[in-house]
Amino acid sequence: MTLLIFFVYYGKIKMHEPKCHEEHLIPYSMVQPIQVMTKRPVIFSPSLLSRGLIERLLQPAESGLDFNTCQPELIQATERNDKSVFLLDASTPEQALGISLQSIQDVISQDKHCLLELGLSSVEGLLRQGVYPIVINIRPKNKKHKKLKKLLTGRGEDGVMEEVCQADEQKLETLPLLYHTLEPSTWSCTEDLLLAIRNVIHSQQKALLWVELERLQ
C-alpha cells in the first residue's frame, strides 16, 4: 500500500577528483514513502562483489528459504534496448550479459529475495518497472581490499576495485531511493559480513521505502 504523504530532504553528491574532494547540496528532493509487501530484490555495491556474495549467501541450506538468484543470460543485440532487460556492468558490445524483468519477478513470486549481479545503473530502470531493490553499499576496510579479495572470484585487481568503488560512491548519492551502507566497523571477516548483509536485508524489507518518484516520471 502506498501512503499519500510527502517528505522533503537534503541530499549530497560527493564529487571525487584526483587531488580534491568537494560536496554539493541538492536543494530539495521530493520523496514518497512506499510499503513494499513482496520480497525486494537485492543489489550490491560495488558490483564486483556481487557474484562472490551471492554464492556465499546461497551456500547454507537455510538461505534457500529466503534467497534465490537469476543467472545472467546472453542478451541478443535486438533486445539490448528493451526496458525489461537489465545489462550487467561487465557487459561488452561483443558479449552482453543481462537479466530479464520476468526472471526477477519469477523469484519474487516464490516469496524470496532475488540476489542480483546488476550494478547501480539498473536501479532506476527497476524502479520504473515497479521493482524496488534493496541497495547495500559495502565499504572496504582499506584501499588494498584484502578482506574482500575472497569475494572477487578472480574478477578484479586492486586498481580496478578502487576505480569501481569511487565510481559507485558518486552513483549512490544520485539514486532516487535510499540505500544502506555497511561500514568497515560492522564486520571483521567474510562470515561477519554475510551475517550483516542478511540482517540488513531483513530489516530493510520491514522498513518504509522512500523513493523520489518525480525522477521516474
mmCIF file of all heavy atoms in Angstrom, residues 35-41 113 134 200-208:
data_model
loop_
_atom_site.group_PDB
_atom_site.id
_atom_site.type_symbol
_atom_site.label_atom_id
_atom_site.label_comp_id
_atom_site.label_asym_id
_atom_site.label_seq_id
_atom_site.Cartn_x
_atom_site.Cartn_y
_atom_site.Cartn_z
ATOM 1 N N GLN A 35 5.337 1.197 1.096
ATOM 2 C CA GLN A 35 5.485 -0.046 1.844
ATOM 3 C C GLN A 35 5.415 -1.202 0.848
ATOM 4 O O GLN A 35 4.374 -1.444 0.241
ATOM 5 C CB GLN A 35 4.374 -0.192 2.890
ATOM 6 C CG GLN A 35 4.547 -1.397 3.801
ATOM 7 C CD GLN A 35 5.719 -1.228 4.754
ATOM 8 O OE1 GLN A 35 5.750 -0.289 5.542
ATOM 9 N NE2 GLN A 35 6.686 -2.119 4.677
ATOM 10 N N VAL A 36 6.530 -1.879 0.661
ATOM 11 C CA VAL A 36 6.589 -2.978 -0.308
ATOM 12 C C VAL A 36 6.223 -4.277 0.403
ATOM 13 O O VAL A 36 6.889 -4.682 1.358
ATOM 14 C CB VAL A 36 7.997 -3.087 -0.938
ATOM 15 C CG1 VAL A 36 8.020 -4.188 -1.986
ATOM 16 C CG2 VAL A 36 8.409 -1.753 -1.549
ATOM 17 N N MET A 37 5.190 -4.927 -0.069
ATOM 18 C CA MET A 37 4.700 -6.136 0.586
ATOM 19 C C MET A 37 5.403 -7.396 0.082
ATOM 20 O O MET A 37 5.507 -8.387 0.799
ATOM 21 C CB MET A 37 3.188 -6.266 0.371
ATOM 22 C CG MET A 37 2.392 -5.046 0.828
ATOM 23 S SD MET A 37 2.765 -4.539 2.535
ATOM 24 C CE MET A 37 2.151 -5.955 3.433
ATOM 25 N N THR A 38 5.880 -7.369 -1.167
ATOM 26 C CA THR A 38 6.582 -8.536 -1.711
ATOM 27 C C THR A 38 8.063 -8.457 -1.362
ATOM 28 O O THR A 38 8.582 -7.384 -1.035
ATOM 29 C CB THR A 38 6.422 -8.601 -3.238
ATOM 30 O OG1 THR A 38 6.883 -7.367 -3.808
ATOM 31 C CG2 THR A 38 4.968 -8.816 -3.611
ATOM 32 N N LYS A 39 8.757 -9.586 -1.436
ATOM 33 C CA LYS A 39 10.186 -9.612 -1.143
ATOM 34 C C LYS A 39 10.941 -8.764 -2.173
ATOM 35 O O LYS A 39 10.761 -8.936 -3.381
ATOM 36 C CB LYS A 39 10.713 -11.051 -1.167
ATOM 37 C CG LYS A 39 10.191 -11.920 -0.025
ATOM 38 C CD LYS A 39 10.839 -11.522 1.293
ATOM 39 C CE LYS A 39 10.288 -12.337 2.463
ATOM 40 N NZ LYS A 39 10.633 -13.764 2.380
ATOM 41 N N ARG A 40 11.777 -7.878 -1.676
ATOM 42 C CA ARG A 40 12.520 -6.976 -2.558
ATOM 43 C C ARG A 40 13.826 -7.625 -3.027
ATOM 44 O O ARG A 40 14.512 -8.279 -2.241
ATOM 45 C CB ARG A 40 12.827 -5.673 -1.823
ATOM 46 C CG ARG A 40 11.586 -4.887 -1.436
ATOM 47 C CD ARG A 40 11.918 -3.766 -0.463
ATOM 48 N NE ARG A 40 12.868 -2.820 -1.035
ATOM 49 C CZ ARG A 40 13.478 -1.869 -0.331
ATOM 50 N NH1 ARG A 40 13.243 -1.754 0.969
ATOM 51 N NH2 ARG A 40 14.333 -1.051 -0.924
ATOM 52 N N PRO A 41 14.180 -7.457 -4.305
ATOM 53 C CA PRO A 41 15.482 -7.952 -4.777
ATOM 54 C C PRO A 41 16.610 -7.144 -4.153
ATOM 55 O O PRO A 41 16.378 -6.082 -3.568
ATOM 56 C CB PRO A 41 15.411 -7.768 -6.292
ATOM 57 C CG PRO A 41 14.394 -6.702 -6.500
ATOM 58 C CD PRO A 41 13.405 -6.822 -5.380
ATOM 59 N N HIS A 113 13.948 -13.213 -1.746
ATOM 60 C CA HIS A 113 14.748 -12.077 -2.192
ATOM 61 C C HIS A 113 15.618 -12.527 -3.362
ATOM 62 O O HIS A 113 16.343 -13.515 -3.248
ATOM 63 C CB HIS A 113 15.651 -11.572 -1.064
ATOM 64 C CG HIS A 113 14.910 -10.997 0.102
ATOM 65 N ND1 HIS A 113 14.353 -9.741 0.079
ATOM 66 C CD2 HIS A 113 14.639 -11.522 1.326
ATOM 67 C CE1 HIS A 113 13.770 -9.504 1.246
ATOM 68 N NE2 HIS A 113 13.924 -10.562 2.016
ATOM 69 N N ILE A 134 16.588 -3.487 -2.732
ATOM 70 C CA ILE A 134 17.372 -3.089 -1.565
ATOM 71 C C ILE A 134 18.801 -2.898 -2.056
ATOM 72 O O ILE A 134 19.382 -3.813 -2.641
ATOM 73 C CB ILE A 134 17.326 -4.172 -0.475
ATOM 74 C CG1 ILE A 134 15.897 -4.344 0.058
ATOM 75 C CG2 ILE A 134 18.292 -3.842 0.668
ATOM 76 C CD1 ILE A 134 15.732 -5.550 0.960
ATOM 77 N N VAL A 200 20.679 -6.784 7.272
ATOM 78 C CA VAL A 200 20.251 -5.582 6.554
ATOM 79 C C VAL A 200 19.065 -5.899 5.646
ATOM 80 O O VAL A 200 18.083 -5.149 5.594
ATOM 81 C CB VAL A 200 21.413 -4.995 5.721
ATOM 82 C CG1 VAL A 200 20.895 -3.929 4.754
ATOM 83 C CG2 VAL A 200 22.467 -4.397 6.629
ATOM 84 N N ILE A 201 19.143 -7.014 4.936
ATOM 85 C CA ILE A 201 18.055 -7.393 4.028
ATOM 86 C C ILE A 201 16.748 -7.549 4.799
ATOM 87 O O ILE A 201 15.693 -7.035 4.394
ATOM 88 C CB ILE A 201 18.403 -8.691 3.274
ATOM 89 C CG1 ILE A 201 19.565 -8.436 2.306
ATOM 90 C CG2 ILE A 201 17.182 -9.216 2.506
ATOM 91 C CD1 ILE A 201 20.110 -9.688 1.643
ATOM 92 N N HIS A 202 16.808 -8.237 5.927
ATOM 93 C CA HIS A 202 15.587 -8.459 6.710
ATOM 94 C C HIS A 202 15.049 -7.150 7.286
ATOM 95 O O HIS A 202 13.831 -6.918 7.291
ATOM 96 C CB HIS A 202 15.862 -9.464 7.829
ATOM 97 C CG HIS A 202 16.146 -10.851 7.332
ATOM 98 N ND1 HIS A 202 15.395 -11.460 6.345
ATOM 99 C CD2 HIS A 202 17.109 -11.759 7.670
ATOM 100 C CE1 HIS A 202 15.872 -12.669 6.103
ATOM 101 N NE2 HIS A 202 16.912 -12.871 6.889
ATOM 102 N N SER A 203 15.938 -6.279 7.747
ATOM 103 C CA SER A 203 15.479 -5.013 8.336
ATOM 104 C C SER A 203 14.943 -4.064 7.267
ATOM 105 O O SER A 203 13.935 -3.379 7.475
ATOM 106 C CB SER A 203 16.610 -4.343 9.121
ATOM 107 O OG SER A 203 17.675 -3.977 8.263
ATOM 108 N N GLN A 204 15.600 -4.024 6.108
ATOM 109 C CA GLN A 204 15.147 -3.146 5.034
ATOM 110 C C GLN A 204 13.818 -3.609 4.444
ATOM 111 O O GLN A 204 13.019 -2.802 3.979
ATOM 112 C CB GLN A 204 16.209 -3.072 3.933
ATOM 113 C CG GLN A 204 17.468 -2.316 4.325
ATOM 114 C CD GLN A 204 17.187 -0.859 4.622
ATOM 115 O OE1 GLN A 204 16.678 -0.129 3.781
ATOM 116 N NE2 GLN A 204 17.507 -0.434 5.832
ATOM 117 N N GLN A 205 13.592 -4.912 4.464
ATOM 118 C CA GLN A 205 12.320 -5.432 3.962
ATOM 119 C C GLN A 205 11.153 -4.917 4.811
ATOM 120 O O GLN A 205 10.071 -4.621 4.301
ATOM 121 C CB GLN A 205 12.338 -6.962 3.970
ATOM 122 C CG GLN A 205 11.042 -7.602 3.484
ATOM 123 C CD GLN A 205 10.741 -7.301 2.026
ATOM 124 O OE1 GLN A 205 11.626 -7.343 1.185
ATOM 125 N NE2 GLN A 205 9.486 -7.001 1.716
ATOM 126 N N LYS A 206 11.378 -4.787 6.100
ATOM 127 C CA LYS A 206 10.322 -4.332 7.009
ATOM 128 C C LYS A 206 10.160 -2.816 6.992
ATOM 129 O O LYS A 206 9.103 -2.300 7.360
ATOM 130 C CB LYS A 206 10.641 -4.784 8.438
ATOM 131 C CG LYS A 206 10.688 -6.293 8.619
ATOM 132 C CD LYS A 206 11.111 -6.637 10.038
ATOM 133 C CE LYS A 206 11.247 -8.138 10.231
ATOM 134 N NZ LYS A 206 11.728 -8.479 11.600
ATOM 135 N N ALA A 207 11.212 -2.120 6.592
ATOM 136 C CA ALA A 207 11.212 -0.661 6.687
ATOM 137 C C ALA A 207 10.389 -0.009 5.578
ATOM 138 O O ALA A 207 10.170 -0.586 4.510
ATOM 139 C CB ALA A 207 12.647 -0.141 6.636
ATOM 140 N N LEU A 208 9.962 1.208 5.851
ATOM 141 C CA LEU A 208 9.275 2.008 4.849
ATOM 142 C C LEU A 208 10.302 2.490 3.830
ATOM 143 O O LEU A 208 11.395 2.932 4.191
ATOM 144 C CB LEU A 208 8.609 3.205 5.527
ATOM 145 C CG LEU A 208 7.479 3.916 4.775
ATOM 146 C CD1 LEU A 208 6.310 2.970 4.540
ATOM 147 C CD2 LEU A 208 7.019 5.130 5.575
#
